[in-house]
Amino acid sequence: MTADAWSLFDPAGDDRVARSWEQATVAGESGNCSAPVAQIVPSAPRTPERVVVRVTADRVVTTAAGTRYVESVFSTRVMLRQGDGTWRVDLAAVGG
């Protein structure tokens, strides 16, 4: 991630994450995510140095009783090309 993205990365500040964490810990659940899939958002503006990517994954949650359910998780992020040619995750993309 870029320095700007790391400076804002605080899952505790995300209400959706906080609710999910509270639900999981109270219920004694555990979870594992599938490999993430990233796709460039074709309708978003882009340049050779900047693209908007939507990342999705499935999280399989196992309850204390052993029952499993699947949650789809996603994030839409700006990716920036660095001077060495690598790409870094930057800030969340907003808009519509």
Side-chain angles (χ1 to χ4, degrees):
M1 286 178 29
T2 63
D4 287 342
W6 275 119
S7 71
L8 297 173
F9 184 71
D10 180 7
D14 184 326
D15 289 341
R16 191 180 94 176
V17 172
R19 282 191 306 275
S20 177
W21 178 256
E22 183 177 348
Q23 174 189 348
T25 55
V26 167
E29 296 176 334
S30 64
N32 291 302
C33 286
S34 65
V37 175
Q39 295 179 310
I40 293 174
V41 178
S43 60
R46 63 178 156 171
T47 70
E49 292 80 30
R50 178 186 182 105
V51 296
V52 176
V53 175
R54 182 164 177 94
V55 181
T56 59
D58 289 327
R59 177 171 43 213
V60 179
V61 180
T62 304
T63 67
T67 305
R68 293 183 177 175
Y69 63 93
V70 177
E71 297 177 328
S72 294
V73 293
F74 65 89
S75 181
T76 304
R77 306 296 293 223
V78 174
M79 301 286 292
L80 300 177
R81 186 188 305 264
Q82 306 300 295
D84 64 0
T86 61
W87 290 86
R88 300 267 184 219
V89 175
D90 198 42
L91 305 176
V94 294

